Amino acid sequence: KDVQNSCDERGIAIQKVGVSDVHLPFLIKTKSGSFQSVLAKIKLTVDLPQEFKGTHMSRFIEILSDWSQKPVSYREIGNMLTDTIVRLHAKRAHIDIHFKYFVEKEAPVSGLKSMLDYDCTFSASLARGEQLDFVLGIIVPFTSLCPCSKEISQYGAHNQRGIMRVKIKQVHGKFIWIEDLAKMLEERGSCQVYPLLKREDEKYVTEKAYENPKFVEDVLRDLVLMLRKLDGIQWFEVECENYESIHNHSAYATHIENVDK
Amino acid sequence: KDVQNSCDERGIAIQKVGVSDVHLPFLIKTKSGSFQSVLAKIKLTVDLPQEFKGTHMSRFIEILSDWSQKPVSYREIGNMLTDTIVRLHAKRAHIDIHFKYFVEKEAPVSGLKSMLDYDCTFSASLARGEQLDFVLGIIVPFTSLCPCSKEISQYGAHNQRGIMRVKIKQVHGKFIWIEDLAKMLEERGSCQVYPLLKREDEKYVTEKAYENPKFVEDVLRDLVLMLRKLDGIQWFEVECENYESIHNHSAYATHIENVDK
Amino acid sequence: KDVQNSCDERGIAIQKVGVSDVHLPFLIKTKSGSFQSVLAKIKLTVDLPQEFKGTHMSRFIEILSDWSQKPVSYREIGNMLTDTIVRLHAKRAHIDIHFKYFVEKEAPVSGLKSMLDYDCTFSASLARGEQLDFVLGIIVPFTSLCPCSKEISQYGAHNQRGIMRVKIKQVHGKFIWIEDLAKMLEERGSCQVYPLLKREDEKYVTEKAYENPKFVEDVLRDLVLMLRKLDGIQWFEVECENYESIHNHSAYATHIENVDK
Amino acid sequence: KDVQNSCDERGIAIQKVGVSDVHLPFLIKTKSGSFQSVLAKIKLTVDLPQEFKGTHMSRFIEILSDWSQKPVSYREIGNMLTDTIVRLHAKRAHIDIHFKYFVEKEAPVSGLKSMLDYDCTFSASLARGEQLDFVLGIIVPFTSLCPCSKEISQYGAHNQRGIMRVKIKQVHGKFIWIEDLAKMLEERGSCQVYPLLKREDEKYVTEKAYENPKFVEDVLRDLVLMLRKLDGIQWFEVECENYESIHNHSAYATHIENVDK
């Protein structure tokens, strides 16, 4: 007896059912035309019509195993969801893929290169016969230096690492590389962070941050201004969090916007 | 010079700005008329008009320090937000309070009592002159036993701990105690979990789960049926996640609903 | 048939068996003579002789439930372990209790009071007829300001939140209050952190940190000097971690020492 | 002025100083002769003589960046530490690398292949002129089924996912592949876990676990027996934790042993 296919009489169509907390290596396409092998944490779901008791969990793993072999980006995520819809006999499919993505950064003075890690997310939904709904998420670390502390103090100013959590949705067909988005975002802090800094670089970032004090509100506003102008932007969400060096809690700001074009 | 009050010319009213990751002891009112001292993790924010450069971060801590001394529930959360609106000269205020809440459970046969922990959230928003928007969140652990595994196997059936993440919003004035909500929810699994079980109890829960096999889809559907009937329910969100004993990932289902009345 | 008491023939005496990830409210005695209600995360274990197949898991929960009602400190932890040894017919018992503990801090200039959270641990072992082995652990946040950055830059200096993870073991009978230990430790950073700071306080902490630059190595060394002199100290372990404001990783130092007296 | 190289007069040689929480892609050599690209979280430290004020943090990042390009295993970790000792002018160097490693598993009946993730650690120390000290750590998920629950119940038995945390140290020159160690370890549970199971496989694992009930104590003892016989074993540490399906806490056992040969 196939229990999953047996009839259900509660009359409830389930919006999303599938697997979560699946870890797999994935290949993410890079701007340079190659791909990066990442550790992906994945949730993959479909809708389930009211007449079926259960979905077929093992098929999700088969789909993910297949796709973990091929370089993916915006377009392939759509194909993966189409594949899921077909193999699960579903009307809609949804995926969330979380991964650390590395981008090469050049130290500001010495020019030394090193790899910085950004936590990224591809969140996508697809309904049969409709356009792909794709949200790109990224967490970007930055340095923030407090304008009030600088203003009121004879010397110095408290500063700290902060993070921007940004999610964007562009119109169908538009896509921005993580490499490009990260670069635009991290310029909005008091200074960028780098994995590798030599003495001359450390002098540079220290002075740059001091010359460029920003509240969490300032960083948020500059991000909003920038994101409104992003090519094909439809919707965005921004969160900024400063891990205050003078407190054991964070300063926090957030903003969500549907962008009229 | 008061940097925060200086003028900002970017023309962006910030939706939410304040503090996050604040840890404080809080007193949560209990159904029995007393209160429970909990460890709260808090985010408190307000809107910031476009003409001001920054908010006053220290006031959030003062407000939270004051309120951490008084037993709170639905009504007091509203008062706390009113207080925040006044002291920050804001139009809107928002709070998220996460805490572990303990409810006494009786073992099913021996009747022995012990305390089970539930992760709870109060999420509330208030705009000047409007009604409080209040969402109660709770994570309830339960036992799930797989119907397919039971059906196809000569003996046994794989089972595991699962969790239900439930958020509910009731009409203004309606409020359900965590104690009552937890009880209604945990009856929807194959069996409830208990901190303290003696031999006779262990026999009971083992057999109860075996007699009551449920997919993650079944648990979700039974929760949906129950929540639709909850007194004054306006909106709910349910997530079920089974930490599969036969896999290293989870079976997952979720559903969101605006309830017409 | 009592499976746990059945005979085991593998000839292996288990060093520690019991329960972990138990969450319960606990009452921790305070320096002021009262107690603080905390959220405890507990591991409680005993040894198991080679001839027994299993321990009695439910008794651990009974013991913890009983003790969660009574204010505890150094001495009571010993009693709890004696109780565990008796009720489990064991030779040795071990406990780890993790909890956030709050201590009132006064802002340095305004004198305003607020509560700062410290992650604390009581780790204790007891063997029948022997003295209690007790290790107090505490994580203390602090501000660190980089001496190199200050030295090489025309203005400013990068600073950040850091944490000290300290564990200490004193000779039998000696005990230091968390309140006192936290105070001694947090003075070793470039500056202390506070939950609540007004403008005059912010000026103070900014300038204080700038006047007092310290590498992670400096903080560690000052902690070592201080801990060697602690009353009745036998052993200590220190870890310092700076959440660098200019990097996405930490600067780190650690040191362990048996102190000869 | 080179602040790090300036003289320190506190007379304290620091045991370990360096960087932590560094994330980088790393290439881990596989048994099959190839390598696997993993996401590594790294701590790298050296000793610091008492006469120096500070170490040179940026060199750690340079060393890690170089080594992140080359396939590594036991031997290369030693070379990386030698490199660190030379470039930091140190006497000792230590590294901890945490990563998820994937091993292909075949479903027990259908033979379908899928990738299972294991959390692994390479922890190594090297002193000038001495042999490499290398500890391999691995966390292996498994299914445990409770013998007591099976014995006392008319039907069924509670079961759950558990994890084994194993660390081993072999004599110099001996090395075991993660692939081989994982395989040996996961056979000690009531049943293994698999990412991909079809109906016939699910029947198999359900019945296999039911036929093979094991307390957390049983799993631990079987691991101890197995590890004592491991080729060239010098020392091991084992922790077993069952995420009980009937409780909201874990059953736990641990054992550490120096193996006489």
Side-chain angles (χ1 to χ4, degrees), chain A residues 134-149:
Chain A
F134 186 89
V135 172
L136 173 62
I138 184 167
I139 300 180
V140 176
F142 65 99
T143 306
S144 74
L145 186 139
C146 179
C148 175
S149 168

PDB file of all heavy atoms in Angstrom, chain A residues 134-149:
ATOM      1  N   PHE A 134      12.522  35.373  -7.888  1.00  0.00           N
ATOM      2  CA  PHE A 134      13.873  35.115  -7.401  1.00  0.00           C
ATOM      3  C   PHE A 134      14.346  36.228  -6.480  1.00  0.00           C
ATOM      4  O   PHE A 134      14.352  37.404  -6.874  1.00  0.00           O
ATOM      5  CB  PHE A 134      14.836  34.991  -8.597  1.00  0.00           C
ATOM      6  CG  PHE A 134      16.223  34.581  -8.226  1.00  0.00           C
ATOM      7  CD1 PHE A 134      16.576  33.240  -8.165  1.00  0.00           C
ATOM      8  CD2 PHE A 134      17.189  35.524  -7.923  1.00  0.00           C
ATOM      9  CE1 PHE A 134      17.873  32.852  -7.831  1.00  0.00           C
ATOM     10  CE2 PHE A 134      18.481  35.145  -7.573  1.00  0.00           C
ATOM     11  CZ  PHE A 134      18.823  33.810  -7.530  1.00  0.00           C
ATOM     12  N   VAL A 135      14.748  35.875  -5.271  1.00  0.00           N
ATOM     13  CA  VAL A 135      15.283  36.852  -4.320  1.00  0.00           C
ATOM     14  C   VAL A 135      16.726  36.478  -3.989  1.00  0.00           C
ATOM     15  O   VAL A 135      17.005  35.346  -3.583  1.00  0.00           O
ATOM     16  CB  VAL A 135      14.427  36.916  -3.039  1.00  0.00           C
ATOM     17  CG1 VAL A 135      15.098  37.797  -1.988  1.00  0.00           C
ATOM     18  CG2 VAL A 135      13.028  37.433  -3.355  1.00  0.00           C
ATOM     19  N   LEU A 136      17.603  37.440  -4.173  1.00  0.00           N
ATOM     20  CA  LEU A 136      19.009  37.247  -3.822  1.00  0.00           C
ATOM     21  C   LEU A 136      19.261  37.891  -2.462  1.00  0.00           C
ATOM     22  O   LEU A 136      18.918  39.051  -2.248  1.00  0.00           O
ATOM     23  CB  LEU A 136      19.903  37.908  -4.881  1.00  0.00           C
ATOM     24  CG  LEU A 136      21.412  37.946  -4.586  1.00  0.00           C
ATOM     25  CD1 LEU A 136      21.998  36.547  -4.484  1.00  0.00           C
ATOM     26  CD2 LEU A 136      22.143  38.743  -5.663  1.00  0.00           C
ATOM     27  N   GLY A 137      19.840  37.122  -1.563  1.00  0.00           N
ATOM     28  CA  GLY A 137      20.146  37.651  -0.232  1.00  0.00           C
ATOM     29  C   GLY A 137      21.645  37.625   0.022  1.00  0.00           C
ATOM     30  O   GLY A 137      22.341  36.717  -0.412  1.00  0.00           O
ATOM     31  N   ILE A 138      22.146  38.628   0.713  1.00  0.00           N
ATOM     32  CA  ILE A 138      23.577  38.658   1.021  1.00  0.00           C
ATOM     33  C   ILE A 138      23.805  39.376   2.347  1.00  0.00           C
ATOM     34  O   ILE A 138      23.108  40.344   2.672  1.00  0.00           O
ATOM     35  CB  ILE A 138      24.377  39.350  -0.120  1.00  0.00           C
ATOM     36  CG1 ILE A 138      25.889  39.286   0.152  1.00  0.00           C
ATOM     37  CG2 ILE A 138      23.921  40.770  -0.348  1.00  0.00           C
ATOM     38  CD1 ILE A 138      26.738  39.657  -1.049  1.00  0.00           C
ATOM     39  N   ILE A 139      24.739  38.873   3.108  1.00  0.00           N
ATOM     40  CA  ILE A 139      25.153  39.522   4.359  1.00  0.00           C
ATOM     41  C   ILE A 139      26.569  40.032   4.160  1.00  0.00           C
ATOM     42  O   ILE A 139      27.475  39.253   3.867  1.00  0.00           O
ATOM     43  CB  ILE A 139      25.085  38.549   5.545  1.00  0.00           C
ATOM     44  CG1 ILE A 139      23.655  38.034   5.722  1.00  0.00           C
ATOM     45  CG2 ILE A 139      25.577  39.224   6.830  1.00  0.00           C
ATOM     46  CD1 ILE A 139      23.486  37.048   6.875  1.00  0.00           C
ATOM     47  N   VAL A 140      26.741  41.327   4.312  1.00  0.00           N
ATOM     48  CA  VAL A 140      28.030  41.965   4.043  1.00  0.00           C
ATOM     49  C   VAL A 140      28.562  42.611   5.319  1.00  0.00           C
ATOM     50  O   VAL A 140      27.893  43.453   5.919  1.00  0.00           O
ATOM     51  CB  VAL A 140      27.871  43.051   2.956  1.00  0.00           C
ATOM     52  CG1 VAL A 140      29.173  43.801   2.738  1.00  0.00           C
ATOM     53  CG2 VAL A 140      27.393  42.424   1.651  1.00  0.00           C
ATOM     54  N   PRO A 141      29.760  42.205   5.749  1.00  0.00           N
ATOM     55  CA  PRO A 141      30.348  42.840   6.933  1.00  0.00           C
ATOM     56  C   PRO A 141      30.960  44.180   6.561  1.00  0.00           C
ATOM     57  O   PRO A 141      31.401  44.378   5.422  1.00  0.00           O
ATOM     58  CB  PRO A 141      31.437  41.855   7.349  1.00  0.00           C
ATOM     59  CG  PRO A 141      31.853  41.187   6.084  1.00  0.00           C
ATOM     60  CD  PRO A 141      30.614  41.143   5.197  1.00  0.00           C
ATOM     61  N   PHE A 142      30.974  45.110   7.517  1.00  0.00           N
ATOM     62  CA  PHE A 142      31.588  46.419   7.246  1.00  0.00           C
ATOM     63  C   PHE A 142      32.047  47.031   8.569  1.00  0.00           C
ATOM     64  O   PHE A 142      31.707  46.539   9.643  1.00  0.00           O
ATOM     65  CB  PHE A 142      30.590  47.360   6.540  1.00  0.00           C
ATOM     66  CG  PHE A 142      29.399  47.726   7.383  1.00  0.00           C
ATOM     67  CD1 PHE A 142      29.338  48.941   8.072  1.00  0.00           C
ATOM     68  CD2 PHE A 142      28.322  46.853   7.494  1.00  0.00           C
ATOM     69  CE1 PHE A 142      28.246  49.272   8.858  1.00  0.00           C
ATOM     70  CE2 PHE A 142      27.214  47.178   8.277  1.00  0.00           C
ATOM     71  CZ  PHE A 142      27.182  48.387   8.959  1.00  0.00           C
ATOM     72  N   THR A 143      32.812  48.111   8.492  1.00  0.00           N
ATOM     73  CA  THR A 143      33.201  48.863   9.681  1.00  0.00           C
ATOM     74  C   THR A 143      32.281  50.068   9.827  1.00  0.00           C
ATOM     75  O   THR A 143      32.049  50.786   8.853  1.00  0.00           O
ATOM     76  CB  THR A 143      34.642  49.394   9.547  1.00  0.00           C
ATOM     77  OG1 THR A 143      35.509  48.310   9.247  1.00  0.00           O
ATOM     78  CG2 THR A 143      35.091  50.084  10.831  1.00  0.00           C
ATOM     79  N   SER A 144      31.762  50.284  11.028  1.00  0.00           N
ATOM     80  CA  SER A 144      31.007  51.521  11.279  1.00  0.00           C
ATOM     81  C   SER A 144      31.692  52.311  12.379  1.00  0.00           C
ATOM     82  O   SER A 144      32.196  51.739  13.341  1.00  0.00           O
ATOM     83  CB  SER A 144      29.563  51.212  11.668  1.00  0.00           C
ATOM     84  OG  SER A 144      29.502  50.707  12.978  1.00  0.00           O
ATOM     85  N   LEU A 145      31.737  53.620  12.207  1.00  0.00           N
ATOM     86  CA  LEU A 145      32.348  54.487  13.220  1.00  0.00           C
ATOM     87  C   LEU A 145      31.324  55.526  13.639  1.00  0.00           C
ATOM     88  O   LEU A 145      30.716  56.193  12.794  1.00  0.00           O
ATOM     89  CB  LEU A 145      33.619  55.135  12.659  1.00  0.00           C
ATOM     90  CG  LEU A 145      34.436  55.955  13.667  1.00  0.00           C
ATOM     91  CD1 LEU A 145      35.935  55.712  13.477  1.00  0.00           C
ATOM     92  CD2 LEU A 145      34.106  57.431  13.629  1.00  0.00           C
ATOM     93  N   CYS A 146      31.136  55.658  14.945  1.00  0.00           N
ATOM     94  CA  CYS A 146      30.025  56.457  15.484  1.00  0.00           C
ATOM     95  C   CYS A 146      30.266  57.975  15.374  1.00  0.00           C
ATOM     96  O   CYS A 146      31.225  58.497  15.963  1.00  0.00           O
ATOM     97  CB  CYS A 146      29.805  56.069  16.939  1.00  0.00           C
ATOM     98  SG  CYS A 146      28.471  57.004  17.719  1.00  0.00           S
ATOM     99  N   PRO A 147      29.408  58.695  14.662  1.00  0.00           N
ATOM    100  CA  PRO A 147      29.562  60.153  14.520  1.00  0.00           C
ATOM    101  C   PRO A 147      29.426  60.894  15.848  1.00  0.00           C
ATOM    102  O   PRO A 147      30.112  61.893  16.079  1.00  0.00           O
ATOM    103  CB  PRO A 147      28.404  60.549  13.594  1.00  0.00           C
ATOM    104  CG  PRO A 147      27.948  59.285  12.946  1.00  0.00           C
ATOM    105  CD  PRO A 147      28.241  58.195  13.913  1.00  0.00           C
ATOM    106  N   CYS A 148      28.539  60.408  16.712  1.00  0.00           N
ATOM    107  CA  CYS A 148      28.334  61.076  18.004  1.00  0.00           C
ATOM    108  C   CYS A 148      29.584  60.939  18.864  1.00  0.00           C
ATOM    109  O   CYS A 148      30.069  61.915  19.439  1.00  0.00           O
ATOM    110  CB  CYS A 148      27.115  60.466  18.701  1.00  0.00           C
ATOM    111  SG  CYS A 148      26.852  61.106  20.359  1.00  0.00           S
ATOM    112  N   SER A 149      30.115  59.714  18.925  1.00  0.00           N
ATOM    113  CA  SER A 149      31.324  59.468  19.708  1.00  0.00           C
ATOM    114  C   SER A 149      32.482  60.339  19.208  1.00  0.00           C
ATOM    115  O   SER A 149      33.228  60.919  19.999  1.00  0.00           O
ATOM    116  CB  SER A 149      31.681  57.978  19.603  1.00  0.00           C
ATOM    117  OG  SER A 149      32.956  57.704  20.105  1.00  0.00           O
TER     118      SER A 149
END
